[in-house]
């Protein structure tokens, strides 16, 4: 915490020095959304280059003066929380003054900018994200406040903890981890008691694009157990994108890649080649939209696809057919085909990429 306080004090000192010299204070923030600032490393995923381009948030410029003020406001809130060892969610910060902040996304962006500017992970700033992910299966752990959580005996899923860093005593006999893209598929597998039927496993869903806590938990489970991690996604560009976030990280959070990415993640399904192999009826597939075409073209250009020839092949199949499929398409074969046949076969015969 002393490191965090010192980093904030240095920023404020810079602001005061500028004012003392009758200059307009400026905050320098890395350009997080620029692909030119990102390098791809097999062992880490997407990470920010050391000498990346920056943008200046000036206090004397109408376009950025408000953002400058909001950054100082949130820095002061973080400073107080670190000093008093209290925590707040991003939502709490927004609701502390909704008129001032204007929207939740403004708060989210500023907190990420501050984390990147100070080079301090967000959870060390005492800012927690609201969790939307779920975990189930063969796993137990103790939360920071001493609460014991046992996902094994729970018939329903457990919410991913809001302070993943603080959980300890992780225990599991799982043979693998299955990341499921969607909540509906996750719940279906839960109802089918999938995680105990095939072999003990841990199931996680970020319910779409994963939040920070879900990604932190996947990473923590990988660090703790070093067991295979598989993904079950829709056979569409959006599903591939979500899988890439777990495996290689995202551009906007590349400054935190070391805590978030798990490059060993494998693509289990739904593969575009599975649709042909299983003779899925063309009528059950969904035609591409213009947005899908653009998303797929952008994914194919990314640096990590070059080192994944088998993934590239699947993306070519998808691009050629211009058709996509949701995991639920397997119910056209039989209602429990996913948990009874598809996943057990894939896991037994190594049907992943």
């Amino acid at each position: 915490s002393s490191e965090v306080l010192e980093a904030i004090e240095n920023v404020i000192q810079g602001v005061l020095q500028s004012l003392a010299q009758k200059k307009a204070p400026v905050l320098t923030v890395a350009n997080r959304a620029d692909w030119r600032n990102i390098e791809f490393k097999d062992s880490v995923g997407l990470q920010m280059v050391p000498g990346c381009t920056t943008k200046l948030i000036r206090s004397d410029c109408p376009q950025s003066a408000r953002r400058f003020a909001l950054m100082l406001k949130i820095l002061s809130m973080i400073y107080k929380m670190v000093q008093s060892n209290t925590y707040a969610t991003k939502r709490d910060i927004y609701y502390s003054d909704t008129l001032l902040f204007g929207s939740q996304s403004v708060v989210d962006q500023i907190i990420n900018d501050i984390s990147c500017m100070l080079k301090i992970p967000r959870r060390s700033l005492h800012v927690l994200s609201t969790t939307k992910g779920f975990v189930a299966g063969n796993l137990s752990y103790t939360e920071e406040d001493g609460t014991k959580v046992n996902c094994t005996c729970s018939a329903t899923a457990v919410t991913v903890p809001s302070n993943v860093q603080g959980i300890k005593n992780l225990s599991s006999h799982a043979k693998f981890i299955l990341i499921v893209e969607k909540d509906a598929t996750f719940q279906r597998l839960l109802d089918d008691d999938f995680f105990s039927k095939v072999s003990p496993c841990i199931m996680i869903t970020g319910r779409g694009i994963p939040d920070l806590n879900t990604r932190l938990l996947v990473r923590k489970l990988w660090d703790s157990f070093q067991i295979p991690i598989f993904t079950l996604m829709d056979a569409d560009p959006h599903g591939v994108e979500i899988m890439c976030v777990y495996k290689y990280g995202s551009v906007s959070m590349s400054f935190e890649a070391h805590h978030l990415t798990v490059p060993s993640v494998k693509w289990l399904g739904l593969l575009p080649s599975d649709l042909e192999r299983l003779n899925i009826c063309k009528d059950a597939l969904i035609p591409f939209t213009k947005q899908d075409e653009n998303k797929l073209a952008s994914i194919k250009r990314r640096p990590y696809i070059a080192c994944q020839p088998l993934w590239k092949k699947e993306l070519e199949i998808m691009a050629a057919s211009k058709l996509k499929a949701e995991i639920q398409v397997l119910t056209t074969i039989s209602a429990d085909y996913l948990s009874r046949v598809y996943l057990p076969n894939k896991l037994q015969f190594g049907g992943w990429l």
Side-chain angles (χ1 to χ4, degrees), residues 139-286:
L139 174 68
S140 61
Y141 55 85
T142 310
E143 290 206 354
E144 198 180 27
D145 63 0
T147 310
K148 287 183 168 54
V149 178
N150 189 348
C151 308
T152 314
C153 58
S154 175
T156 55
V158 172
T159 308
V160 167
S162 58
N163 189 356
V164 175
Q165 200 187 16
I167 66 173
K168 48 190 183 290
N169 307 331
L170 283 90
S171 166
S172 177
H173 301 295
K175 298 282 183 280
F176 62 91
I177 295 163
L178 182 66
I179 300 171
V180 183
E181 177 186 349
K182 281 187 177 147
D183 194 22
T185 310
F186 180 85
Q187 295 298 342
R188 178 68 212 238
L189 290 171
L190 208 57
D191 294 344
D192 290 350
D193 202 17
F194 172 77
F195 61 80
S196 58
K197 271 184 188 159
V198 180
S199 69
C201 73
I202 300 167
M203 293 197 313
I204 292 181
T205 180
R207 300 164 76 195
I209 295 169
D211 57 66
L212 197 67
N213 294 329
T214 305
R215 290 175 62 190
L216 283 167
L217 182 62
V218 171
R219 176 62 196 239
K220 183 144 192 149
L221 293 174
W222 164 248
D223 288 339
S224 305
F225 305 123
Q226 302 277 313
I227 52 178
I229 302 182
F230 302 112
T231 58
L232 180 62
M233 305 280 151
D234 287 341
D236 66 8
H238 191 63
V240 175
E241 170 114 277
I242 289 170
M243 174 171 58
C244 291
V245 168
Y246 284 107
K247 187 174 173 76
Y248 296 122
S250 60
V251 173
S252 62
M253 294 299 287
S254 57
F255 63 95
E256 272 212 58
H258 289 268
H259 313 284
L260 292 171
T261 60
V262 185
S264 62
V265 162
K266 302 277 186 286
W267 188 2
L268 186 69
L270 186 62
L271 302 177
S273 59
D274 289 341
L275 303 174
E276 259 169 55
R277 187 174 59 81
L278 298 170
N279 277 328
I280 301 286
C281 170
K282 282 273 200 292
D283 296 346
L285 305 179
I286 308 158

Side-chain angles (χ1 to χ4, degrees), residues 41-99:
K41 221 174 160 187
D42 235 356
S43 57
V44 182
L46 300 175
Q47 60 177 9
M48 198 166 257
V49 296
C52 64
T53 61
T54 54
K55 55 183 177 188
L56 300 179
I57 298 174
R58 305 186 61 85
S59 57
D60 61 346
C61 165
Q63 280 85 16
S64 61
R66 185 169 180 277
R67 194 170 188 83
F68 179 91
L70 293 180
M71 282 186 81
L72 289 192
K73 166 78 176 167
I74 292 178
L75 275 168
S76 77
M77 293 171 87
I78 290 169
Y79 193 84
K80 282 179 193 150
M81 289 191 297
V82 175
Q83 266 187 326
S84 59
N85 196 25
T86 54
Y87 287 82
T89 64
K90 294 185 298 181
R91 208 154 178 70
D92 295 334
I93 291 174
Y94 168 59
Y95 279 109
S96 70
D97 199 332
T98 52
L99 282 176

Side-chain angles (χ1 to χ4, degrees), residues 234-237 270-273 275-276 280-289 292-293 296 314-326:
D234 287 341
D236 66 8
L270 186 62
L271 302 177
S273 59
L275 303 174
E276 259 169 55
I280 301 286
C281 170
K282 282 273 200 292
D283 296 346
L285 305 179
I286 308 158
F288 260 28
T289 61
D292 290 325
E293 285 181 37
L296 186 57
E314 293 294 330
L315 298 183
E316 297 297 352
I317 293 171
M318 200 190 287
S321 72
K322 290 197 175 171
L323 293 167
K324 56 184 183 177
E326 296 185 330

